Amino acid sequence: MNIQDLLLKDVMIMDLQATTKEGAVDEMIAKYQAAGVITDATLYRKDILAREAQSSTGIGEGIAMPHAKDSAVQRATVLFAKSQNGVEYDALDGQPVYLFFMIAAPEGANNTHLQALAGLSSLLIKPQLVADLKQAQTPDDVQALFAKAQAAKDAEDAQEAAKEAAQTAVATDDTKPFIVAVTACPTGIAHTYMAEAALKETAAKMGIDIKVETNGSEGVKHRLTADDINRATGVIIAADKKVEMPRFDGKHLLNRPVIDGIKKPQELIQKTLDSEGTIFHATEAATGQEADADKKSLWSRVYQDLMNGVSNMLPFVVGGGILMAISFLLEQTVGAHSTTFIFLNSLGNNAFNFLIPVLAAYIAISIGDRPALMPGFVGGYMASQATASVLSSKSPAGFLGGLAAGFIAGWVIVGLKKAFKNLPQTLDGLKPILIFPVLGLLIVGFIMFFMVNPIFAQINLWLSTFLTHLGAGNALLLGALLGGMMSVDMGGPFNKAAYTFAIGVFTTTKDGSLMAAVMAGGMVPPLAIAVAATLFKNKFTGSERKQAFANYVLGLSFITEGAIPFAATDPLHVIISSVIGSAIGGGLTQLWGITVPAPHGGIFVAPLANHGLLFVLAVLIGTFVSALILGLWRPVAKEI
């Protein structure tokens, strides 16, 4: 595929007007949508921002490469945009961005597309090309510059291929330094191949042989063989996602973000030659996550581990909860002894029985990797059972105990790895099959039996009693608080805290009142934005109105994240209005005594509520209050 097939002239922006990062993203997405490259601007923007949240795609030297691969993209395209004054884009070097390359790849992009995107990305490490692009005046100039750069690269690749062929025909020169590397980024479109190109080009200048494996969208390319790894002086991992690590056992290894492969290739290569990388042990850190974790804040690490548990638990919550709710609905017509009721109810209950063990297991595995899975799972199971302990109780430790079990199991395994790191190499094989399972289970079980279960069983019992005797005023306040939290960050820590609290109460008491509050609160933000864009058209751009329409469906389905693109570009007006509407919706569900015996589904599970019409009314009132505040408060939009 020719580069001109990707760099389409009709989607270039030669004078980008935006002055902020969000504005630049929106301006480029609007161009894509107008050209028919994408069909769902909301989905594409969400994925662009999700990639930015992992690390800025402003790679420095005045360049940014925002990119996403999803079903909204109709054809592989690269949008070139140039800003005259520069945009503050949170670039890694802290400097303004002047050149933008927004890459759009279809979800089912074929290898031809992906190879072309990889080739295009690798050209951008050429300083002369970057300098020339800053002077380009027309789309034709841009295409001509890339065509010239591609021709030069093709000639270099041909020379390199001839050189490799010649080397295979003669004996390998073992005296020449040789290192291996792996590059990978979450989407595998741009940074993966830019890091590869930078490492190879720098190694050639330093007189070093290097082989780079890429873990990109088209799969693993140039896979490192066992012989490659054995011959290498050391290993460079320039990656922002998991790569296959156990094969590097015993090698000096540097584990860095993919951007370091682009910006600091000489430093990485020199440190590898000097054997500055730590010796990697596969049984101690299968993915190098422990080293990376030191760079994160405590809250970031805890939140990441917690979300790993919650995300893996949710399918059990949704599947089991909705089937149980349907069974209760059918019970009124077919009876409690019918086969249909018994089947659906028992199936839902069986799924629910795994909630806490799965939650604990996947929190543990996020911290201590695979050895923590079993003790985490067993600890979670212990938390879900009302077993005898030093403080006998009829109540299990429940959801809170499961959270504790996950974190305890993960850190117990981390501690065991450190305690046995100096075990003789001949005994290393005992760690995963004997030491970690037996000692891990023993320690976690001891802590759960003698400390966690007794304490959290009492807390759980108190919580159940408190909710049972909760007065109407307190219930309204709690419902408003949980509903409002669902809109504070729309899928972030506050949202998840409110939702997981409601799930915890639901699994313990089988009372769906707080589920009604969080569901109403979570439905309001996207619905309010959709209604506001319909009623106050002058407050939204044409592109925003199109995006907002999709929020009718997202809001009705209890997908709060549909509001994120609007909150990102206008946080003050959107978040405050959403929190007010969500708090009202959540409070009304408690005022009217509404319970929803299903953990997800939005409007589609309203018939399962004890007061389905009142639930819908609570959502509508919250929605229209929020929409009116947003529509009246927000300034008139300026079309780009």
Side-chain angles (χ1 to χ4, degrees):
M1 175 175 281
N2 195 295
I3 288 220
Q4 275 80 353
D5 294 333
L6 295 175
L7 276 166
L8 304 179
K9 290 189 287 186
D10 59 347
V11 295
M12 291 189 189
I13 305 175
M14 300 307 296
D15 187 14
L16 191 76
Q17 297 299 302
T19 57
T20 65
K21 180 175 183 175
E22 292 79 8
V25 168
D26 286 342
E27 190 172 343
M28 289 186 283
I29 290 176
K31 189 73 170 178
Y32 262 155
Q33 190 168 38
V37 173
I38 60 174
T39 57
D40 187 340
T42 301
L43 173 60
Y44 184 71
R45 188 180 193 277
K46 179 182 177 181
D47 289 338
I48 285 285
L49 294 180
R51 175 61 185 89
E52 293 294 332
Q54 293 170 346
S55 65
S56 174
T57 58
I59 62 175
E61 306 298 334
I63 299 174
M65 297 186 68
H67 51 275
K69 176 184 178 184
D70 59 39
S71 58
V73 181
Q74 299 302 293
R75 52 177 172 167
T77 310
V78 178
L79 181 154
F80 171 79
K82 187 174 73 163
S83 170
Q84 301 296 332
N85 300 317
V87 176
E88 294 299 329
Y89 198 83
D90 300 325
L92 297 174
D93 61 358
Q95 299 302 309
V97 170
Y98 296 90
L99 302 179
F100 296 85
F101 298 88
M102 179 174 274
I103 299 175
E107 197 166 43
N110 58 39
N111 285 343
T112 303
H113 286 134
L114 296 171
Q115 288 167 4
L117 289 171
L120 180 64
S121 301
S122 65
L123 292 176
L124 293 175
I125 66 165
K126 305 289 186 181
Q128 187 59 52
L129 175 60
V130 173
D132 291 341
L133 286 170
K134 289 180 179 179
Q135 303 302 316
Q137 299 299 314
T138 67
D140 287 324
D141 292 342
V142 175
Q143 283 197 335
L145 287 170
F146 270 102
K148 179 181 177 182
Q150 182 63 55
K153 186 177 185 300
D154 289 343
E156 291 177 7
D157 290 345
Q159 290 180 354
E160 184 177 345
K163 180 181 176 182
E164 289 180 358
Q167 286 178 339
T168 57
V170 297
T172 303
D173 182 6
D174 291 331
T175 63
K176 193 172 183 180
F178 175 68
I179 60 177
V180 294
V182 180
T183 63
C185 74
T187 52
I189 296 173
H191 291 57
T192 300
Y193 303 104
M194 293 182 73
E196 175 199 23
L199 287 167
K200 290 171 71 174
E201 184 172 310
T202 303
K205 292 178 180 177
M206 296 173 67
I208 307 299
D209 278 344
I210 188 171
K211 182 174 180 180
V212 184
E213 174 184 299
T214 55
N215 284 214
S217 289
E218 55 179 328
V220 176
K221 305 286 286 186
H222 317 300
R223 182 180 290 276
L224 300 177
T225 66
D227 181 60
D228 293 331
I229 297 168
N230 289 334
R231 287 197 304 117
T233 301
V235 181
I236 298 171
I237 304 295
D240 290 336
K241 69 174 186 179
K242 288 185 178 182
V243 297
E244 185 184 344
M245 296 293 286
R247 52 188 167 152
F248 303 121
D249 189 47
K251 303 295 294 188
H252 284 277
L253 184 144
L254 290 176
N255 197 340
R256 298 290 186 82
V258 68
I259 194 65
D260 282 3
I262 301 171
K263 306 301 295 181
K264 303 176 182 178
Q266 184 168 350
E267 176 188 321
L268 297 183
I269 292 172
Q270 190 59 55
K271 285 188 174 183
T272 301
L273 292 175
D274 296 339
S275 298
E276 291 188 23
T278 57
I279 296 179
F280 176 78
H281 296 292
T283 56
E284 292 181 11
T287 63
Q289 288 178 323
E290 291 176 28
D292 292 339
D294 294 337
K295 303 175 184 177
K296 299 179 180 179
S297 68
L298 177 61
W299 168 244
S300 296
R301 292 165 59 185
V302 170
Y303 179 66
Q304 176 182 310
D305 300 332
L306 176 61
M307 286 305 102
N308 193 59
V310 170
S311 63
N312 282 284
M313 176 193 72
L314 279 180
F316 294 85
V317 174
V318 175
I322 290 179
L323 288 180
M324 285 175 64
I326 293 173
S327 74
F328 295 141
L329 187 65
L330 292 175
E331 183 185 12
Q332 301 173 18
T333 56
V334 300
H337 300 291
S338 72
T339 302
T340 302
F341 168 77
I342 294 172
F343 167 69
L344 290 174
N345 188 262
S346 61
L347 190 59
N349 270 301
N350 287 336
F352 254 46
N353 288 337
F354 286 98
L355 294 188
I356 296 174
V358 168
L359 172 73
Y362 280 92
I363 290 174
I365 204 172
S366 177
I367 299 169
D369 210 3
R370 291 185 64 84
L373 175 66
M374 184 273 292
F377 200 95
V378 175
Y381 179 77
M382 292 176 69
S384 69
Q385 304 299 307
T387 54
S389 64
V390 292
L391 286 177
S392 177
S393 172
K394 295 180 180 179
S395 175
F399 193 78
L400 296 176
L403 289 175
F407 284 102
I408 290 168
W411 286 108
V412 163
I413 294 300
V414 170
L416 289 175
K417 288 179 178 180
K418 292 181 178 178
F420 289 94
K421 67 179 180 180
N422 295 321
L423 201 67
Q425 193 169 0
T426 54
L427 299 178
D428 260 0
L430 293 178
K431 293 180 185 179
I433 64 171
L434 181 63
I435 296 174
F436 295 156
V438 174
L439 290 183
L441 181 58
L442 183 62
I443 295 170
V444 171
F446 180 89
I447 295 173
M448 291 299 297
F449 187 85
F450 289 102
M451 288 180 278
V452 173
N453 275 7
I455 294 171
F456 282 100
Q458 294 303 313
I459 293 175
N460 224 23
L461 187 60
W462 172 85
L463 179 62
S464 299
T465 304
F466 169 75
L467 291 171
T468 301
H469 298 90
L470 195 63
N474 290 333
L476 190 152
L477 182 62
L478 181 59
L481 175 63
L482 292 175
M485 287 176 67
M486 294 296 289
S487 291
V488 171
D489 50 8
M490 302 173 187
F494 282 94
N495 175 286
K496 290 296 187 292
Y499 186 69
T500 52
F501 176 75
I503 288 289
V505 172
F506 186 40
T507 56
T508 301
T509 66
K510 304 304 180 185
D511 181 354
S513 59
L514 296 185
M515 288 308 311
V518 297
M519 194 175 298
M523 293 170 68
V524 165
L527 285 174
I529 289 168
V531 171
T534 301
L535 298 179
F536 302 92
K537 290 183 169 60
N538 64 326
K539 302 297 182 75
F540 295 82
T541 66
S543 175
E544 286 176 332
R545 289 196 296 273
K546 292 177 182 177
Q547 294 176 34
F549 187 79
N551 274 355
Y552 279 114
V553 177
L554 296 175
L556 291 173
S557 303
F558 184 34
I559 300 176
T560 316
E561 287 82 355
I564 289 176
F566 296 87
T569 57
D570 185 12
L572 178 66
H573 301 104
V574 172
I575 292 177
I576 291 178
S577 61
S578 294
V579 169
I580 294 171
S582 293
I584 291 172
L588 287 176
T589 64
Q590 303 308 291
L591 178 65
W592 294 334
I594 301 169
T595 65
V596 177
H600 213 288
I603 197 68
F604 304 106
V605 297
L608 306 179
N610 61 336
H611 302 297
L613 292 178
L614 286 177
F615 174 75
V616 173
L617 183 60
V619 172
L620 288 176
I621 291 174
T623 295
F624 276 93
V625 168
S626 179
L628 288 173
I629 294 173
L630 178 60
L632 295 172
W633 188 20
R634 202 179 201 218
V636 175
K638 294 181 180 179
E639 292 285 352
I640 296 174

